[in-house]
Amino acid sequence: MSGFDVNRLDDAIHGRLRLGIMAYLMDAEAADFNELKALLDATQGNLSVHLRKLEEAGYVEIVKSFQGRKPLTRAHITAAGRTAFAAYLETLSKLVEKR
């Protein structure tokens, strides 16, 4: 494993919930808050915190709107998020590849 630098792992992605959000959005493109909450078995507060971290990193965009009279929060993966997730997976694969 010489030459591998664990510090190259993106801290904004490296965490169970944030990794789950990013992995899901890579395929789905967008998801509403309750969909992610159920999928990841997360509490409302915990999911909010992790979505905010990804939003601050520029990896997701949070869009708030209304569906009828009910508020709707949707997370959309950004181009920067796609690039960062691909780089994260590449860095992680270097950690586990056989030498």
Side-chain angles (χ1 to χ4, degrees):
M1 248 198 300
S2 75
F4 178 77
D5 182 5
V6 75
N7 294 319
R8 290 184 57 212
L9 286 173
D10 189 332
D11 286 335
I13 296 172
H14 194 74
R16 184 184 70 83
L17 279 179
R18 290 188 304 273
L19 181 59
I21 292 165
M22 293 298 290
Y24 186 74
L25 292 178
M26 282 292 284
D27 185 47
E29 299 282 330
D32 71 40
F33 186 87
N34 288 328
E35 178 182 0
L36 288 172
K37 185 177 156 203
L39 176 78
L40 300 168
D41 194 28
T43 65
Q44 186 170 330
N46 203 8
L47 182 57
S48 291
V49 166
H50 290 287
L51 281 171
R52 191 174 317 115
K53 286 183 182 190
L54 290 170
E55 183 181 35
E56 288 170 356
Y59 297 166
V60 299
E61 178 186 12
I62 305 299
V63 177
K64 295 183 182 248
S65 63
F66 285 89
Q67 189 170 35
R69 291 180 175 251
K70 294 176 76 172
L72 178 66
T73 301
R74 289 187 60 78
H76 300 260
I77 194 162
T78 64
R82 287 193 167 283
T83 300
F85 191 70
Y88 175 85
L89 291 178
E90 183 178 328
T91 301
L92 196 57
S93 72
K94 289 179 183 176
L95 175 64
V96 296
E97 75 183 11
K98 294 181 182 180
R99 296 192 183 251

